[in-house]
Amino acid sequence: MIISGFAGIGKSTLARKSYKVIDLESSIFKKDWELYSETAKYLDEQGYDVLISAHKEIRTKLHDKGIKYTFILPSNTENSKSEYLDRYRLRGNTNDFIDNMMENWNSYHEILPWENDAITLRDGDYLADWYFSHHHLRSDH
């Protein structure tokens, strides 16, 4: 399974909880969405659950290549926005990153036409809450 996850939902934390989950950090691919999508597809085919960024460009690339994924994002509310602002500060994101996320909060919530199965997390929830409840898996420390 490939999960495209919004910044701050807990992709890295989930990956640390299960050896079957890989957080495929996008920055090392330097916006080479072709290579990024192929790498995610390869790891998925090897039996891993792959966590990728929520950049619209990568989601479009996956769709265009016929690669299935699920988009997971927080609710688009002021309460959720405030919660994520706190998460970004606590995890040490730069002011530029935080300003970008807050200024583009609404546009980053855009669900693309083919993403009719997008998952919206409840306020206070993390990706691991959804993942373990929907996969009936346990953490693999």
PDB file of all heavy atoms in Angstrom, residues 5 7-8 10 15 30 32 34 37 57 63 68 75 78 84 94-95 119 125-126 136 140-141:
ATOM      1  N   GLY A   5       0.763  11.144   2.461  1.00  0.00           N
ATOM      2  CA  GLY A   5       0.334  11.747   3.710  1.00  0.00           C
ATOM      3  C   GLY A   5       0.740  13.192   3.877  1.00  0.00           C
ATOM      4  O   GLY A   5       1.879  13.573   3.625  1.00  0.00           O
ATOM      5  N   ALA A   7       1.798  16.664   5.551  1.00  0.00           N
ATOM      6  CA  ALA A   7       2.881  16.952   6.501  1.00  0.00           C
ATOM      7  C   ALA A   7       2.344  17.024   7.916  1.00  0.00           C
ATOM      8  O   ALA A   7       1.355  17.698   8.183  1.00  0.00           O
ATOM      9  CB  ALA A   7       3.553  18.274   6.137  1.00  0.00           C
ATOM     10  N   GLY A   8       2.988  16.286   8.816  1.00  0.00           N
ATOM     11  CA  GLY A   8       2.645  16.347  10.220  1.00  0.00           C
ATOM     12  C   GLY A   8       1.650  15.310  10.692  1.00  0.00           C
ATOM     13  O   GLY A   8       1.288  15.294  11.867  1.00  0.00           O
ATOM     14  N   GLY A  10       2.226  12.143  10.911  1.00  0.00           N
ATOM     15  CA  GLY A  10       2.926  11.098  11.659  1.00  0.00           C
ATOM     16  C   GLY A  10       3.494   9.987  10.797  1.00  0.00           C
ATOM     17  O   GLY A  10       3.578   8.844  11.244  1.00  0.00           O
ATOM     18  N   ALA A  15       6.464   4.814  10.669  1.00  0.00           N
ATOM     19  CA  ALA A  15       7.543   3.988  10.107  1.00  0.00           C
ATOM     20  C   ALA A  15       8.443   3.428  11.205  1.00  0.00           C
ATOM     21  O   ALA A  15       8.961   2.319  11.079  1.00  0.00           O
ATOM     22  CB  ALA A  15       8.355   4.796   9.109  1.00  0.00           C
ATOM     23  N   LYS A  30      14.846  15.272  -5.013  1.00  0.00           N
ATOM     24  CA  LYS A  30      15.001  16.584  -5.652  1.00  0.00           C
ATOM     25  C   LYS A  30      13.963  16.839  -6.738  1.00  0.00           C
ATOM     26  O   LYS A  30      14.281  17.233  -7.852  1.00  0.00           O
ATOM     27  CB  LYS A  30      16.417  16.741  -6.189  1.00  0.00           C
ATOM     28  CG  LYS A  30      17.446  16.651  -5.084  1.00  0.00           C
ATOM     29  CD  LYS A  30      18.847  16.809  -5.569  1.00  0.00           C
ATOM     30  CE  LYS A  30      19.736  16.729  -4.351  1.00  0.00           C
ATOM     31  NZ  LYS A  30      21.074  16.489  -4.577  1.00  0.00           N
ATOM     32  N   ASP A  32      12.355  14.829  -8.535  1.00  0.00           N
ATOM     33  CA  ASP A  32      12.303  13.863  -9.636  1.00  0.00           C
ATOM     34  C   ASP A  32      11.131  12.930  -9.344  1.00  0.00           C
ATOM     35  O   ASP A  32      11.295  11.847  -8.795  1.00  0.00           O
ATOM     36  CB  ASP A  32      13.620  13.088  -9.735  1.00  0.00           C
ATOM     37  CG  ASP A  32      13.658  12.114 -10.911  1.00  0.00           C
ATOM     38  OD1 ASP A  32      12.573  11.805 -11.476  1.00  0.00           O
ATOM     39  OD2 ASP A  32      14.755  11.655 -11.257  1.00  0.00           O
ATOM     40  N   GLU A  34       9.258  11.199 -11.186  1.00  0.00           N
ATOM     41  CA  GLU A  34       9.292   9.926 -11.912  1.00  0.00           C
ATOM     42  C   GLU A  34      10.025   8.872 -11.080  1.00  0.00           C
ATOM     43  O   GLU A  34       9.510   7.786 -10.825  1.00  0.00           O
ATOM     44  CB  GLU A  34       9.977  10.111 -13.265  1.00  0.00           C
ATOM     45  CG  GLU A  34      10.083   8.854 -14.095  1.00  0.00           C
ATOM     46  CD  GLU A  34       8.763   8.465 -14.737  1.00  0.00           C
ATOM     47  OE1 GLU A  34       7.899   9.322 -14.943  1.00  0.00           O
ATOM     48  OE2 GLU A  34       8.603   7.258 -15.041  1.00  0.00           O
ATOM     49  N   SER A  37       8.114   8.126  -7.752  1.00  0.00           N
ATOM     50  CA  SER A  37       6.945   7.258  -7.932  1.00  0.00           C
ATOM     51  C   SER A  37       7.355   5.823  -8.227  1.00  0.00           C
ATOM     52  O   SER A  37       6.750   4.876  -7.713  1.00  0.00           O
ATOM     53  CB  SER A  37       6.026   7.803  -9.032  1.00  0.00           C
ATOM     54  OG  SER A  37       6.663   7.795 -10.291  1.00  0.00           O
ATOM     55  N   GLU A  57       2.085  17.198  -7.162  1.00  0.00           N
ATOM     56  CA  GLU A  57       2.805  16.686  -8.326  1.00  0.00           C
ATOM     57  C   GLU A  57       3.034  15.176  -8.237  1.00  0.00           C
ATOM     58  O   GLU A  57       2.912  14.471  -9.242  1.00  0.00           O
ATOM     59  CB  GLU A  57       4.152  17.409  -8.495  1.00  0.00           C
ATOM     60  CG  GLU A  57       4.027  18.888  -8.748  1.00  0.00           C
ATOM     61  CD  GLU A  57       3.909  19.743  -7.487  1.00  0.00           C
ATOM     62  OE1 GLU A  57       3.838  19.186  -6.369  1.00  0.00           O
ATOM     63  OE2 GLU A  57       3.899  20.975  -7.632  1.00  0.00           O
ATOM     64  N   HIS A  63      -1.053   8.847 -10.251  1.00  0.00           N
ATOM     65  CA  HIS A  63      -2.306   8.640 -10.975  1.00  0.00           C
ATOM     66  C   HIS A  63      -2.044   8.421 -12.466  1.00  0.00           C
ATOM     67  O   HIS A  63      -2.580   7.487 -13.071  1.00  0.00           O
ATOM     68  CB  HIS A  63      -3.243   9.837 -10.775  1.00  0.00           C
ATOM     69  CG  HIS A  63      -4.471   9.762 -11.593  1.00  0.00           C
ATOM     70  ND1 HIS A  63      -4.609  10.426 -12.793  1.00  0.00           N
ATOM     71  CD2 HIS A  63      -5.624   9.069 -11.402  1.00  0.00           C
ATOM     72  CE1 HIS A  63      -5.796  10.159 -13.301  1.00  0.00           C
ATOM     73  NE2 HIS A  63      -6.432   9.333 -12.484  1.00  0.00           N
ATOM     74  N   LYS A  68      -1.707   2.840  -7.668  1.00  0.00           N
ATOM     75  CA  LYS A  68      -2.719   3.093  -6.639  1.00  0.00           C
ATOM     76  C   LYS A  68      -2.071   3.626  -5.366  1.00  0.00           C
ATOM     77  O   LYS A  68      -0.998   3.171  -4.969  1.00  0.00           O
ATOM     78  CB  LYS A  68      -3.483   1.811  -6.318  1.00  0.00           C
ATOM     79  CG  LYS A  68      -4.377   1.346  -7.437  1.00  0.00           C
ATOM     80  CD  LYS A  68      -5.181   0.132  -7.005  1.00  0.00           C
ATOM     81  CE  LYS A  68      -6.069  -0.339  -8.106  1.00  0.00           C
ATOM     82  NZ  LYS A  68      -7.377   0.265  -8.081  1.00  0.00           N
ATOM     83  N   SER A  75      -8.345  17.156   8.965  1.00  0.00           N
ATOM     84  CA  SER A  75      -9.548  17.922   8.625  1.00  0.00           C
ATOM     85  C   SER A  75      -9.144  19.370   8.342  1.00  0.00           C
ATOM     86  O   SER A  75      -8.142  19.863   8.858  1.00  0.00           O
ATOM     87  CB  SER A  75     -10.581  17.843   9.749  1.00  0.00           C
ATOM     88  OG  SER A  75     -10.067  18.416  10.926  1.00  0.00           O
ATOM     89  N   GLU A  78     -10.212  25.236  11.529  1.00  0.00           N
ATOM     90  CA  GLU A  78      -9.310  26.115  12.278  1.00  0.00           C
ATOM     91  C   GLU A  78      -8.679  25.370  13.456  1.00  0.00           C
ATOM     92  O   GLU A  78      -7.516  25.574  13.778  1.00  0.00           O
ATOM     93  CB  GLU A  78     -10.041  27.369  12.755  1.00  0.00           C
ATOM     94  CG  GLU A  78     -10.257  28.394  11.651  1.00  0.00           C
ATOM     95  CD  GLU A  78      -8.963  28.832  10.966  1.00  0.00           C
ATOM     96  OE1 GLU A  78      -7.970  29.148  11.659  1.00  0.00           O
ATOM     97  OE2 GLU A  78      -8.941  28.844   9.715  1.00  0.00           O
ATOM     98  N   TYR A  84      -1.943  21.480  13.965  1.00  0.00           N
ATOM     99  CA  TYR A  84      -0.788  21.199  13.116  1.00  0.00           C
ATOM    100  C   TYR A  84       0.286  22.259  13.254  1.00  0.00           C
ATOM    101  O   TYR A  84       1.479  21.942  13.175  1.00  0.00           O
ATOM    102  CB  TYR A  84      -1.229  20.976  11.663  1.00  0.00           C
ATOM    103  CG  TYR A  84      -1.677  19.549  11.475  1.00  0.00           C
ATOM    104  CD1 TYR A  84      -2.887  19.101  12.002  1.00  0.00           C
ATOM    105  CD2 TYR A  84      -0.865  18.624  10.847  1.00  0.00           C
ATOM    106  CE1 TYR A  84      -3.283  17.783  11.885  1.00  0.00           C
ATOM    107  CE2 TYR A  84      -1.250  17.301  10.714  1.00  0.00           C
ATOM    108  CZ  TYR A  84      -2.455  16.888  11.243  1.00  0.00           C
ATOM    109  OH  TYR A  84      -2.827  15.577  11.130  1.00  0.00           O
ATOM    110  N   THR A  94      11.269  24.611  10.350  1.00  0.00           N
ATOM    111  CA  THR A  94      11.721  25.994  10.196  1.00  0.00           C
ATOM    112  C   THR A  94      10.529  26.940  10.113  1.00  0.00           C
ATOM    113  O   THR A  94       9.411  26.528   9.761  1.00  0.00           O
ATOM    114  CB  THR A  94      12.553  26.164   8.919  1.00  0.00           C
ATOM    115  OG1 THR A  94      11.708  25.928   7.783  1.00  0.00           O
ATOM    116  CG2 THR A  94      13.758  25.216   8.898  1.00  0.00           C
ATOM    117  N   ASN A  95      10.776  28.196  10.395  1.00  0.00           N
ATOM    118  CA  ASN A  95       9.723  29.201  10.267  1.00  0.00           C
ATOM    119  C   ASN A  95       9.218  29.291   8.835  1.00  0.00           C
ATOM    120  O   ASN A  95       8.026  29.493   8.608  1.00  0.00           O
ATOM    121  CB  ASN A  95      10.205  30.572  10.756  1.00  0.00           C
ATOM    122  CG  ASN A  95      10.319  30.620  12.268  1.00  0.00           C
ATOM    123  OD1 ASN A  95       9.639  29.884  12.978  1.00  0.00           O
ATOM    124  ND2 ASN A  95      11.181  31.493  12.757  1.00  0.00           N
ATOM    125  N   ILE A 119      -8.761   9.915   2.794  1.00  0.00           N
ATOM    126  CA  ILE A 119      -9.090   9.724   4.205  1.00  0.00           C
ATOM    127  C   ILE A 119      -8.797  11.021   4.954  1.00  0.00           C
ATOM    128  O   ILE A 119      -7.692  11.557   4.863  1.00  0.00           O
ATOM    129  CB  ILE A 119      -8.235   8.591   4.825  1.00  0.00           C
ATOM    130  CG1 ILE A 119      -8.343   7.298   4.034  1.00  0.00           C
ATOM    131  CG2 ILE A 119      -8.577   8.410   6.306  1.00  0.00           C
ATOM    132  CD1 ILE A 119      -9.688   6.661   4.032  1.00  0.00           C
ATOM    133  N   ASP A 125      -5.990  12.950  15.906  1.00  0.00           N
ATOM    134  CA  ASP A 125      -5.518  11.639  15.439  1.00  0.00           C
ATOM    135  C   ASP A 125      -4.232  11.771  14.634  1.00  0.00           C
ATOM    136  O   ASP A 125      -3.950  12.813  14.033  1.00  0.00           O
ATOM    137  CB  ASP A 125      -6.570  10.949  14.570  1.00  0.00           C
ATOM    138  CG  ASP A 125      -7.628  10.236  15.382  1.00  0.00           C
ATOM    139  OD1 ASP A 125      -7.538  10.248  16.632  1.00  0.00           O
ATOM    140  OD2 ASP A 125      -8.541   9.662  14.767  1.00  0.00           O
ATOM    141  N   TYR A 126      -3.492  10.682  14.631  1.00  0.00           N
ATOM    142  CA  TYR A 126      -2.286  10.546  13.822  1.00  0.00           C
ATOM    143  C   TYR A 126      -2.486   9.409  12.833  1.00  0.00           C
ATOM    144  O   TYR A 126      -3.404   8.593  12.980  1.00  0.00           O
ATOM    145  CB  TYR A 126      -1.072  10.239  14.717  1.00  0.00           C
ATOM    146  CG  TYR A 126      -0.600  11.419  15.520  1.00  0.00           C
ATOM    147  CD1 TYR A 126      -1.160  11.703  16.757  1.00  0.00           C
ATOM    148  CD2 TYR A 126       0.402  12.249  15.031  1.00  0.00           C
ATOM    149  CE1 TYR A 126      -0.728  12.794  17.502  1.00  0.00           C
ATOM    150  CE2 TYR A 126       0.844  13.340  15.776  1.00  0.00           C
ATOM    151  CZ  TYR A 126       0.280  13.603  17.000  1.00  0.00           C
ATOM    152  OH  TYR A 126       0.702  14.684  17.735  1.00  0.00           O
ATOM    153  N   HIS A 136      -5.680  -3.783  11.370  1.00  0.00           N
ATOM    154  CA  HIS A 136      -5.679  -4.784  12.446  1.00  0.00           C
ATOM    155  C   HIS A 136      -4.282  -5.340  12.662  1.00  0.00           C
ATOM    156  O   HIS A 136      -4.081  -6.533  12.821  1.00  0.00           O
ATOM    157  CB  HIS A 136      -6.671  -5.907  12.150  1.00  0.00           C
ATOM    158  CG  HIS A 136      -8.036  -5.382  11.870  1.00  0.00           C
ATOM    159  ND1 HIS A 136      -8.821  -4.798  12.830  1.00  0.00           N
ATOM    160  CD2 HIS A 136      -8.742  -5.335  10.725  1.00  0.00           C
ATOM    161  CE1 HIS A 136      -9.965  -4.436  12.296  1.00  0.00           C
ATOM    162  NE2 HIS A 136      -9.955  -4.730  11.021  1.00  0.00           N
ATOM    163  N   ASP A 140       5.490  -3.227  15.545  1.00  0.00           N
ATOM    164  CA  ASP A 140       6.552  -4.236  15.469  1.00  0.00           C
ATOM    165  C   ASP A 140       7.839  -3.709  16.080  1.00  0.00           C
ATOM    166  O   ASP A 140       8.851  -3.638  15.432  1.00  0.00           O
ATOM    167  CB  ASP A 140       6.803  -4.628  14.020  1.00  0.00           C
ATOM    168  CG  ASP A 140       5.581  -5.162  13.331  1.00  0.00           C
ATOM    169  OD1 ASP A 140       4.985  -6.101  13.877  1.00  0.00           O
ATOM    170  OD2 ASP A 140       5.220  -4.639  12.274  1.00  0.00           O
ATOM    171  N   HIS A 141       7.823  -3.300  17.322  1.00  0.00           N
ATOM    172  CA  HIS A 141       9.046  -2.756  17.955  1.00  0.00           C
ATOM    173  C   HIS A 141      10.081  -3.855  18.045  1.00  0.00           C
ATOM    174  O   HIS A 141       9.847  -4.911  18.494  1.00  0.00           O
ATOM    175  CB  HIS A 141       8.766  -2.240  19.369  1.00  0.00           C
ATOM    176  CG  HIS A 141       7.731  -1.170  19.405  1.00  0.00           C
ATOM    177  ND1 HIS A 141       8.022   0.129  19.092  1.00  0.00           N
ATOM    178  CD2 HIS A 141       6.415  -1.208  19.717  1.00  0.00           C
ATOM    179  CE1 HIS A 141       6.944   0.861  19.229  1.00  0.00           C
ATOM    180  NE2 HIS A 141       5.947   0.081  19.601  1.00  0.00           N
TER     181      HIS A 141
END
